Amino acid sequence: MSRARALVITTVLACCILVCFGKAPCLDTLPIGVWRTVLHEEPNIMLQKLGAVSDDPAVLTRTYLSPAHRQASQLLKAWMQAAGMDSWVDAIGNVHGRVEGSLPGPATFTGSHYDTVVDGGKYDGALGIIAGIAAVKALVLEAAVARGALTREEAARLPVDPALGTTALPTTLNASALLRRSLRVVGFADEEGVRFQSTYLGSRALAGSLAASGALDARDGAGVTLREALAAEGAGDEAALRALGVVPSAARAYVEVHMEQGPVLEAANSRLAAVSGIAGQARLAVRLAGSQGHAGTVPMALRRDPLPGAAEVVLALERLCAPGEDGAGTGLVCTVGTLALWPGASNVIPGSVQLSMDIRSRSDSEREAKVRESVAALEGVCARRRLDCEWELRHQAPAVLADEGVTQALMAAVAASAGLTDAILAEGLAPNTPANADGEGADEELSHRSPPAAHAPADGGGAAFAAAVAGPLVSGAGHDAAEMARLTRMGMLFVRCRAGVSHSPLEYVAPDDVAAATAALHAYLAGEEAA
């Protein structure tokens, strides 16, 4: 018996168990080749196509309301329609895909953002939207075959739309009649905040917090306010923007798939992990001032040099946030990201040093305590070295905790999807191809080879990615999920990325890991559909 066929049989048995408990539809409804097309090949094709939509032909840059941004919104809209969803672009630029469902009740939302940083990568944000589109498409196809709207053979022969690079469901299919629960996929228009230096514009609009945030008066580099830019787009007045908000009773939950943007999953040899929360942040601006002087004429004992004092402060912050200093699983991290000397000449004792402190933790009380301890360390250094010190708290944001029920359901979905993921990956292996091939060229659109060695599961199977790392991870970066948590229950699923690199053209998520994440999201949405 082939490995692929054995895995299919295992998956069918698991499906039967799930059906008995009423948790998910059966996964043997579709041929394994269709599962692979929808959950592996097409998501990776879409990621590459979307990654080619840029305002700069040399690098990927897709900032809010730029020509490439508008082009990307239309491409996402077309993919959502090809997946059986009603789709539209709202006044702020969010791209919506919706399956209404035959039963009344709130919708489950999933998605992420489609803007990028300057010279960014293909996976940050885009992965969450694409995974959502593919997962919903799989659910619609599954329901269509189960209800007799399509045969298995017809599902396997869906036409490819050359402009989209993916198959398209028949326009005669009524997805809202096929599914019981309402589902929404959202491509948020702006999360990075590159143009207006104001993050989460898209998710704030959906959560109903945009107008109150003050972001409408933020200005871009040309002095244009967001309010003016939206008026030029025909977005309407502030009342129209407020109307974009979803009422809490209309949202069942929000789930976001996102690349980890860190090295933990790769180090643990795991593909996926749920997220327990998004860390709170505090940013301080610090200035140490001494006496500027000639490097050759002022004796060491008589100097008031702020640079050694700044070095002490940096090391003190490192000690305060060293491994073991944080509470269990709080993800405490502290960073000095900027350091500027005045006047910055090789033969001059600096007169002042400015530096930044960035302190993050899932625990707000811990973060606040570390801010106090850092300030105390700063003031101690300045008193001992006869320096003048100033500090200002420039930014503070509370932690956002994921909903425990959603998190547990995501972890269960990862485990439930392991058999299907293994079967999909085995289906793509050529005869006599080892499971841990080096994956050279895996970033090509139609590549089916395994990821680079650093990504390959030790056993080549589902157990490695299904296993928990040490419990859910903490996100040190901000996400649209933080704003959506104002509206509804929130959960996140992190996906392994190479070397933890993000906000860079070098960011990379292996095609097989994309498939694992999409299959897990499908399992989660299938559970919502069956609930």
Side-chain angles (χ1 to χ4, degrees):
M1 182 184 297
S2 71
R3 179 171 180 263
R5 181 164 177 77
L7 289 169
V8 171
I9 292 172
T10 301
T11 300
V12 171
L13 292 174
C15 287
C16 294
I17 295 171
L18 287 169
V19 168
C20 290
F21 285 96
K23 293 181 179 179
C26 191
L27 298 178
D28 71 335
T29 307
L30 301 174
I32 189 61
V34 175
W35 285 116
R36 180 172 174 87
T37 295
V38 176
L39 298 181
H40 188 300
E41 294 171 2
E42 291 189 349
N44 283 291
I45 288 171
M46 287 188 279
L47 283 166
Q48 299 310 314
K49 284 190 173 295
L50 187 60
V53 179
S54 174
D55 289 304
D56 185 333
V59 298
L60 176 54
T61 299
R62 192 167 56 239
T63 57
Y64 185 52
L65 297 181
S66 70
H69 189 267
R70 295 187 187 92
Q71 182 184 348
S73 71
Q74 294 305 307
L75 184 56
L76 290 170
K77 177 183 174 182
W79 279 328
M80 290 176 181
Q81 292 171 333
M85 290 179 268
D86 296 327
S87 185
W88 70 97
V89 181
D90 69 21
I92 201 78
N94 294 331
V95 187
H96 298 258
R98 178 179 63 199
V99 175
E100 196 62 57
S102 60
L103 297 179
T108 298
F109 287 74
T110 188
S112 193
H113 62 97
Y114 67 96
D115 66 315
T116 74
V117 297
V118 175
D119 194 17
K122 300 175 181 177
Y123 302 90
D124 178 12
L127 174 59
I129 309 169
I130 298 304
I133 294 171
V136 170
K137 185 175 185 178
L139 281 175
V140 173
L141 262 177
E142 199 175 13
V145 172
R147 291 172 178 259
L150 284 178
T151 66
R152 286 168 55 93
E153 291 73 21
E154 287 171 331
R157 295 197 304 268
L158 291 174
V160 175
D161 186 324
L164 302 181
T166 66
T167 56
L169 300 188
T171 56
T172 53
L173 278 183
N174 184 351
S176 293
L178 292 171
L179 297 184
R180 299 166 65 248
R181 303 290 184 184
S182 294
L183 298 175
R184 296 276 293 272
V185 180
V186 185
F188 291 114
D190 182 278
E191 186 255 17
E192 301 290 0
V194 172
R195 178 175 176 184
F196 289 98
Q197 299 299 301
S198 185
T199 56
Y200 310 133
L201 296 181
S203 49
R204 282 178 177 174
L206 209 64
S209 59
L210 177 64
S213 71
L216 290 174
D217 295 316
R219 295 182 181 273
D220 64 11
V224 177
T225 66
L226 174 59
R227 190 188 309 272
E228 293 166 343
L230 291 173
E233 294 287 319
D237 58 12
E238 188 169 317
L241 295 174
R242 289 182 186 275
L244 298 178
V246 175
V247 296
S249 61
R252 179 179 174 88
Y254 172 77
V255 174
E256 183 168 348
V257 173
H258 205 284
M259 63 179 295
E260 182 196 352
Q261 298 180 288
V264 176
L265 285 173
E266 185 177 58
N269 201 27
S270 295
R271 295 187 194 271
L272 308 172
V275 176
S276 62
I278 299 172
Q281 304 177 21
R283 296 176 191 166
L284 291 83
V286 175
R287 181 175 183 271
L288 298 84
S291 297
Q292 185 173 323
H294 195 292
T297 62
V298 181
M300 297 297 289
L302 300 180
R303 295 187 179 194
R304 294 176 61 239
D305 188 343
L307 181 55
E312 277 196 52
V313 171
V314 172
L315 293 174
L317 183 64
E318 182 184 48
R319 286 192 297 271
L320 288 172
C321 303
E325 292 296 321
D326 62 331
T330 61
L332 174 67
V333 289
C334 302
T335 305
V336 173
T338 64
L339 190 71
L341 285 68
W342 177 261
S346 61
N347 62 345
V348 178
I349 302 167
S352 65
V353 177
Q354 296 184 11
L355 59 89
S356 63
M357 292 183 181
D358 184 302
I359 301 173
R360 307 188 185 203
S361 172
R362 196 188 69 150
S363 166
D364 287 335
S365 60
E366 178 181 58
R367 172 178 50 80
E368 291 163 358
K370 293 302 178 183
V371 169
R372 291 192 298 270
E373 292 171 23
S374 300
V375 169
L378 166 69
E379 291 174 343
V381 168
C382 289
R384 181 162 37 82
R385 288 183 169 272
R386 299 177 295 114
L387 300 172
D388 298 320
C389 286
E390 300 172 1
W391 63 273
E392 179 185 359
L393 185 61
R394 291 280 181 87
H395 170 74
Q396 186 162 232
V400 179
L401 300 184
D403 179 83
E404 186 173 349
V406 175
T407 300
Q408 293 298 320
L410 279 171
M411 294 174 71
V414 171
S417 63
L420 175 62
T421 300
D422 279 347
I424 288 171
L425 301 190
E427 177 73 7
L429 291 175
N432 303 317
T433 300
N436 291 341
D438 63 11
E440 184 178 341
D443 206 27
E444 296 174 3
E445 280 191 358
L446 298 178
S447 172
H448 304 324
R449 300 184 67 184
S450 298
H455 281 158
D459 62 0
F465 80 79
V469 175
L473 302 182
V474 176
S475 174
H479 299 285
D480 288 303
E483 285 298 317
M484 291 299 288
R486 298 172 182 262
L487 174 68
T488 186
R489 302 179 304 143
M490 177 274 287
M492 290 192 72
L493 186 68
F494 270 173
V495 188
R496 174 174 57 182
C497 59
R498 183 156 59 195
V501 174
S502 184
H503 285 191
S504 162
L506 297 179
E507 76 180 25
Y508 175 82
V509 178
D512 289 357
D513 291 356
V514 171
T518 307
L521 180 60
H522 165 269
Y524 175 86
L525 296 179
E528 293 287 283
E529 168 71 5

